[in-house]
């Protein structure tokens, strides 16, 4: 079973910062996951929340701030004082972190609250410009965004993010359509997901920080887990194999 560093190595470093991504980039894991939003001046930035107050010393919505304004804030001290120099990274900066590695790059489109017009086109353009089309997975809770990615760039792998138990997951996947499912991990253990696993379709699960759950997911054939503690999970799963 593969390991993806969730928001970088976010259990040991401030989430979605270059420090967290550099840590993930040196680990022999399958991939990394991170979240993107669009700034007031149309730049793609990597941050989980719509607003910056939880993970910085600033406040306000990303959509109402320019990249230059966002870059003035400290995105590390909330986690630990020695990360005070961390700034919000752009999508390009994060992708460059992995330019010489093998990692899969799961870009989560956070358009489920604010629509971020033009975000998908910009993401596709940067992926093509950096020739990363074979390494990316575009996921979202906003399944209309996934639908649009498939229309615009059908060769890119997509995943629908789901929190709930689905009744007919294969039917729903075909409706969007999408290539993979990224599930809140307890729902992956429910019987309905067996029909997806039986088809060898990629099911990846978030956010798995406890070893016992990682093992249960491995045993049912889940392809990957997203974890805040990639190094710890690597050691654990290696010992179990
Ligand atoms: O992509 C997996 C996971 O990151 C989805 O939830 O809220 O952590 O972005 P969230
Ligand atoms: Mg995410």
């Amino acid at each position: 079973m593969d390991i993806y560093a969730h928001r970088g190595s976010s259990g040991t470093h401030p989430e979605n910062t270059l420090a967290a991504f550099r840590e993930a980039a040196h680990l022999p894991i399958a991939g990394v996951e991170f979240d993107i939003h669009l700034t007031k001046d149309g730049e793609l930035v990597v941050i989980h929340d719509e607003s910056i107050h939880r993970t910085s010393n600033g406040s306000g919505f990303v959509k109402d701030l320019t990249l230059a304004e966002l870059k003035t804030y400290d995105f590390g001290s909330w986690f630990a004082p020695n990360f005070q120099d961390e700034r919000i990274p752009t999508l390009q900066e994060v992708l460059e972190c992995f330019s010489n590695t093998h990692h899969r790059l799961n870009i989560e489109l956070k358009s489920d609250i604010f629509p971020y017009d033009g975000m998908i086109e910009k993401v596709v353009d940067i992926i093509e410009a950096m020739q990363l089309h074979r390494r990316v997975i575009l996921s979202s809770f906003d399944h209309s965004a996934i639908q649009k990615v498939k229309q615009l760039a059908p060769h890119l792998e997509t995943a629908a993010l789901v929190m709930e138990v689905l009744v007919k997951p294969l039917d729903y996947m075909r409706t969007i359509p999408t290539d993979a499912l990224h599930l809140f991990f307890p729902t992956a253990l429910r019987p309905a997901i067996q029909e997806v696993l039986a088809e060898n379709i990629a099911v990846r699960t978030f956010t798995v920080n406890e070893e016992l759950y990682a093992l249960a997911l491995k045993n049912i054939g889940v392809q990957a887990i997203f974890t805040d503690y990639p190094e710890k999970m690597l050691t654990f799963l290696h010992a179990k194999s």
Side-chain angles (χ1 to χ4, degrees), residues 61-189:
F61 290 125
V62 172
K63 72 175 182 62
D64 296 329
L65 295 160
T66 63
L67 179 60
E69 286 165 342
L70 286 161
K71 284 281 188 187
T72 64
Y73 297 114
D74 161 4
F75 280 78
S77 289
W78 69 274
F79 186 86
N82 52 318
F83 292 112
Q84 66 176 0
D85 293 332
E86 290 304 317
R87 293 289 174 264
I88 191 170
T90 61
L91 175 60
Q92 170 120 11
E93 286 167 339
V94 173
L95 295 176
E96 280 167 0
C97 230
F98 295 92
S99 56
N100 294 316
T101 77
H102 65 280
H103 299 85
R104 296 294 310 271
L105 306 162
N106 178 192
I107 304 171
E108 184 186 338
L109 309 167
K110 283 286 187 197
S111 52
D112 30 311
I113 296 185
F114 298 124
Y116 296 133
D117 290 342
M119 179 165 83
I120 294 170
E121 290 83 351
K122 285 173 197 265
V123 174
V124 170
D125 283 352
I126 199 169
I127 290 167
E128 300 303 339
M130 295 180 80
Q131 299 189 320
L132 290 170
H133 46 280
R134 287 190 191 85
R135 292 176 59 194
V136 295
I137 304 162
L138 298 188
S139 66
S140 190
F141 287 108
D142 171 9
H143 298 173
S144 63
I146 295 308
Q147 202 164 44
K148 191 165 175 190
V149 171
K150 271 290 168 219
Q151 287 160 3
L152 208 62
H155 57 291
L156 298 181
E157 182 172 346
T158 61
L161 275 159
V162 181
M163 287 297 294
E164 313 299 335
V165 176
L166 293 173
V167 173
K168 289 191 172 174
L170 283 176
D171 287 356
Y172 186 63
M173 289 180 76
R174 285 186 205 111
T175 302
I176 300 176
T178 189
D179 301 308
L181 276 186
H182 288 185
L183 301 177
F184 177 46
F185 77 87
T187 72
L189 296 162

Side-chain angles (χ1 to χ4, degrees), residues 6-7 16 33-35 48 106 108 110 139 141 161 206:
H6 181 240
R7 310 181 194 174
N16 284 331
E33 184 265 3
F34 46 87
D35 313 285
H48 180 269
N106 178 192
E108 184 186 338
K110 283 286 187 197
S139 66
F141 287 108
L161 275 159
F206 61 92

Side-chain angles (χ1 to χ4, degrees), residues 195-206:
E195 68 173 49
V196 184
L197 294 167
E199 294 286 316
N200 280 325
I201 291 169
V203 173
R204 309 183 185 97
T205 57
F206 61 92

